[in-house]
Amino acid sequence: MQAVQIIQPGEVKTVELPVPEPGQGEVLVKINYVGFCGSDLNTFLGKNPMVRLPVVPGHEISAEIVRTSEGVPGHIQPGMLCTVNPYTACGRCSSCRNSRPNACRFNRTLGVQRDGAMSEWMTVPWEKIIPDEDGRLSKEAFALVEPLSVGFHAVSRAQVTDSDTVMVIGCGMIGLGALIRSVIRGAKVIAVDVDDAKLALARQLGATHTLHSGTDSVHARLQDLTNQSGPDVVIEAVGAPATYQMAVNEVAFTGRVVCIGYAKADIAFETKLFVQKEIDIRGSRNALPEDFRAVMEYLKKGACPVDTLISGIYPPEQAQAALEKWQSDPGKVFRILVRMEKQ
């Protein structure tokens, strides 16, 4: 079967690999589309310390169930479209014992610590299959479920309610997921980014206000919009020193800061704000199956501009060109998909 491999930084090739056979309790799926994630771009750029090369990238998966094996329950049937939970959980670490397997200490994500989904076929344990049992999602939409679910999970970590004002910093795919989930929960949402097109999309998806952090006085605007209090919740979805500092500086007294992005450099904080404001600072990693299902239910309503979120679709042999395009203008890309199904 054909697969895409990142051989070394800056080099991507299509290779031939054996078609896998499902073992007991496993499902064979045909891959339709796979989205390129920021971790895949970092692998291509040589900036991903967790990856072992060469690696088949990809954990944002649109697939079709082809064959099941002994031990797979009857509700998982050939012909169903599905996505795949791409994380592992050891079942023994403190995260798993606390019913938070998304943050398993020994997690191995597809396409990072192990080969991913950018191939024609793959086998997965049936427990990782998240099917669309009523057949209402498109193949392309399935590839958006995982990145949006990461933003959905951050909103759960923030315990957002309809009485909250939420500031989302960064309107890429994951930030948009956080924005959408906050809107669904009835919160007032303030979106912050440096790109006008992304801010326009944030408004389309329900943001009450948008701030351009390159031209607006963010602090002054936030004070005006929140009656001098600051937002109750800040979700950081960029991973830069300036945005981390903005989150802590701008959140309201006794507010919650949830961090999705992670900075590549040390950050200096005015730590008196941690105590003075008595703020909660929470990390948010990956997503839970219920986050995946919540995204799928949202997408089924038809309000999400799926075509706008897909910045390009490439065949496997153009995967390197796709990553080079993303590298050249990262601010203009939401998601790039690789089409693995034969046309």
Side-chain angles (χ1 to χ4, degrees):
M1 67 174 180
Q2 189 179 46
V4 174
Q5 274 189 345
I6 300 177
I7 306 298
Q8 61 184 354
E11 183 182 2
V12 180
K13 288 185 176 179
T14 54
V15 298
E16 286 294 322
L17 297 177
V19 177
E21 283 292 323
Q24 183 169 354
E26 291 187 331
V27 177
L28 176 69
V29 298
K30 177 172 70 73
I31 304 298
N32 296 319
Y33 295 91
V34 183
F36 269 130
C37 174
S39 63
D40 300 320
L41 180 61
N42 282 331
T43 297
F44 177 71
L45 297 176
K47 297 179 180 180
N48 189 345
M50 296 182 290
V51 76
R52 292 183 179 181
L53 297 176
V55 67
V56 176
H59 57 259
E60 302 175 358
I61 302 166
S62 167
E64 179 181 337
I65 298 169
V66 174
R67 190 163 80 246
T68 62
S69 63
E70 184 180 352
V72 177
H75 72 275
I76 296 177
Q77 291 291 321
M80 283 182 169
L81 296 181
C82 66
T83 190
V84 175
N85 182 335
Y87 324 120
T88 63
C90 71
R92 301 180 301 276
C93 71
S94 58
S95 300
C96 291
R97 294 197 307 271
N98 289 329
S99 300
R100 290 160 68 178
N102 58 294
C104 175
R105 178 179 176 183
F106 304 106
N107 169 60
R108 298 173 68 238
T109 299
L110 287 171
V112 185
Q113 294 93 347
R114 57 190 174 126
D115 276 345
M118 209 164 280
S119 57
E120 292 183 78
W121 311 84
M122 72 180 302
T123 57
V124 294
W126 73 264
E127 296 93 340
K128 298 298 183 182
I129 295 289
I130 305 177
D132 176 20
E133 297 182 5
D134 57 13
R136 290 164 54 199
L137 280 186
S138 70
K139 293 177 181 179
E140 294 85 352
F142 265 107
L144 305 181
V145 171
E146 193 275 344
L148 289 173
S149 74
V150 175
F152 271 47
H153 183 69
V155 172
S156 294
R157 291 283 294 139
Q159 298 175 294
V160 170
T161 72
D162 57 5
S163 64
D164 286 321
T165 295
V166 178
M167 177 168 75
V168 177
I169 307 175
C171 295
M173 279 293 292
I174 291 172
L176 290 178
L179 184 157
I180 290 164
R181 188 60 162 165
S182 298
V183 171
I184 291 171
R185 291 195 175 192
K188 171 183 172 182
V189 180
I190 302 169
V192 180
D193 204 280
V194 294
D195 184 87
D196 288 327
K198 288 183 176 179
L199 292 173
L201 183 56
R203 289 190 293 273
Q204 180 181 343
L205 291 170
T208 310
H209 301 283
T210 57
L211 303 180
H212 190 298
S213 56
T215 57
D216 288 326
S217 174
V218 172
H219 175 74
R221 290 287 311 281
L222 284 173
Q223 291 295 294
D224 289 342
L225 295 171
T226 62
N227 195 27
Q228 311 302 311
S229 294
D232 306 289
V233 174
V234 179
I235 297 176
E236 200 287 336
V238 177
T243 52
Y244 261 82
Q245 290 166 338
M246 179 189 294
V248 171
N249 291 341
E250 300 300 345
V251 71
F253 275 61
T254 68
R256 288 97 74 198
V257 174
V258 174
C259 309
I260 311 175
Y262 58 91
K264 311 303 186 294
D266 292 340
I267 305 173
F269 289 103
E270 191 174 355
T271 55
K272 75 172 186 179
L273 295 176
F274 298 1
V275 177
Q276 187 181 33
K277 290 185 176 184
E278 198 178 41
I279 55 177
D280 293 337
I281 301 177
R282 305 173 185 178
S284 183
R285 183 183 180 193
N286 299 331
L288 290 165
E290 52 261 41
D291 300 310
F292 282 73
R293 288 190 284 269
V295 171
M296 289 166 64
E297 289 305 310
Y298 164 71
L299 290 172
K300 288 177 185 180
K301 295 176 181 177
C304 183
V306 169
D307 291 344
T308 302
L309 295 179
I310 297 173
S311 304
I313 299 177
Y314 292 76
E317 55 272 16
Q318 293 182 21
Q320 174 145 346
L323 287 168
E324 289 173 347
K325 177 183 177 180
W326 192 2
Q327 176 189 4
S328 68
D329 196 0
K332 298 299 182 183
V333 170
F334 287 107
R335 269 304 175 268
I336 290 173
L337 305 187
V338 175
R339 182 193 296 113
M340 298 306 305
E341 66 173 346
K342 298 296 186 182
Q343 294 297 294

